[in-house]
Amino acid sequence: MRPSLESLRVLEACVSAGSFARAAERLFLTPAAVSLRIRTLEAELGQSLFERVGRRVVPTAAASILAGRVHEALSGIADALAEFQAATPPLRLTAPPTFASRWLAPRLARYVSPASSSIELDVSADVRDAHAFDVAIRTGCGGWVGLDEYRLTPVEVTPMLAPSLLGLRTLDDARALVDFELLPHPDWERWFAAARCETPADLHFASVDYPTHELDANAAVAGLGVALLSPSLFQPLLASGQLIAPFSCVLSGPAWHFALMRADDARLAPRQLCAWLHEQAQETA
């Protein structure tokens, strides 16, 4: 009977550690489990591997030679794996700036790739060609041709502003926003409709249209206007009191954030990453 690689690994650990107890610590096993492995290995090989000398158990000459050869083999396997992993190209992940910094980055550091692929993050609002990425996070309503979709979080917005901008004024009704300067956003009209308020004709908009929600948030924190922002993505700013969200109405959807990958990509690594991102979104839903 050919012994298992795990049993040979236990033998190598016992010889190199100098005792069953220290080998057990290295292998995160109990000393009893190590002793059982060695007895099983001796039965499989048909000869003793250790001899008792006084109070010590020492390997036989043949066991020492075998353990040395096992050590060389295990080192060769480790080197081969390291070379393989170094040669594996990184996964190309592209994501829009605000979602990347507010949702993705805090989670991505915890991701351990079963396929041992590193991740190359491309932060861009531009839509990349399907062959320029392995996984893409994009916003929409689904239905991308040739791409598999993993739904993450809904796109949601509500008015948010700095307490200093509100001052002593109140915002009990959406119509009161006419007294404030609003930061441009394409969903203002839809938010007013969701708040059951006809869009006021005399709204005042800031002259600067910031290209990202992150910049909108920075402007709002600086008191430069009321911004339509995601209360989930910008929860830290609400928790710290840098911004307040005075209205209960949160416009949600119909667009969602999706993780996308090419449908014809048979590799395991991108699908595992998409599935993990989906699981992360479900946990925080």
Side-chain angles (χ1 to χ4, degrees):
M1 180 183 297
R2 180 172 295 180
S4 69
L5 180 60
E6 183 60 25
S7 294
L8 293 173
R9 188 169 74 95
V10 171
L11 169 65
E12 188 278 332
C14 289
V15 173
S16 62
S19 74
F20 286 10
R22 283 196 290 271
E25 292 177 1
R26 288 187 185 181
L27 298 171
F28 300 101
L29 297 173
T30 64
V34 169
S35 295
L36 178 60
R37 278 282 187 178
I38 294 300
R39 288 199 301 272
T40 301
L41 182 59
E42 288 176 331
E44 292 171 342
L45 295 176
Q47 61 178 288
S48 297
L49 297 172
F50 290 86
E51 300 173 339
R52 182 167 293 280
V53 178
R55 299 180 62 182
R56 297 176 59 238
V57 175
V58 298
T60 64
S64 295
I65 294 173
L66 177 58
R69 297 296 296 272
V70 170
H71 177 79
E72 293 175 3
L74 291 175
S75 297
I77 292 173
D79 292 343
L81 285 173
E83 291 175 7
F84 173 79
Q85 292 168 0
T88 302
L91 274 180
R92 299 167 300 169
L93 171 60
T94 179
T98 299
F99 194 86
S101 63
R102 291 286 171 176
W103 191 92
L104 182 61
R107 292 167 173 80
L108 200 56
R110 302 196 299 267
Y111 180 62
V112 178
S113 170
S116 300
S117 296
S118 60
I119 294 176
E120 182 180 276
L121 183 58
D122 168 38
V123 178
S124 173
D126 297 333
V127 177
R128 301 301 194 205
D129 178 84
H131 290 280
F133 64 82
D134 299 307
V135 175
I137 294 177
R138 284 296 177 257
T139 302
C141 296
W144 285 277
V145 177
L147 298 175
D148 285 344
E149 304 168 1
Y150 294 75
R151 193 181 290 257
L152 301 181
T153 63
V155 176
E156 56 180 17
V157 291
T158 193
M160 296 168 63
L161 71 161
S164 60
L165 181 61
L166 182 62
L168 298 177
R169 293 177 289 182
T170 59
L171 277 172
D172 298 326
D173 187 274
R175 294 177 184 82
L177 285 170
V178 298
D179 296 328
F180 296 82
E181 194 164 68
L182 309 183
L183 298 176
H185 193 289
D187 284 332
W188 272 114
E189 187 171 346
R190 291 183 58 237
W191 181 84
F192 276 106
R196 301 177 182 273
C197 175
E198 184 176 346
T199 304
D202 52 348
L203 292 174
H204 304 285
F205 289 94
S207 59
V208 179
D209 187 356
Y210 295 101
T212 69
H213 299 307
E214 190 72 34
L215 291 176
D216 274 339
N218 291 341
V221 168
L224 301 181
V226 181
L228 269 185
L229 297 170
S230 166
S232 57
L233 292 183
F234 292 97
Q235 176 59 32
L237 296 182
L238 295 173
S240 67
Q242 294 175 272
L243 290 177
I244 57 175
F247 300 103
S248 61
C249 177
V250 177
L251 179 63
S252 182
W256 280 65
H257 299 289
F258 288 84
L260 308 172
M261 63 170 289
R262 294 187 303 279
D264 61 358
D265 190 342
R267 294 174 301 154
L268 187 60
R271 197 163 300 280
Q272 287 174 328
L273 177 57
C274 285
W276 182 82
L277 291 170
H278 175 73
E279 291 172 1
Q280 291 294 301
Q282 295 301 303
E283 290 177 4
T284 57

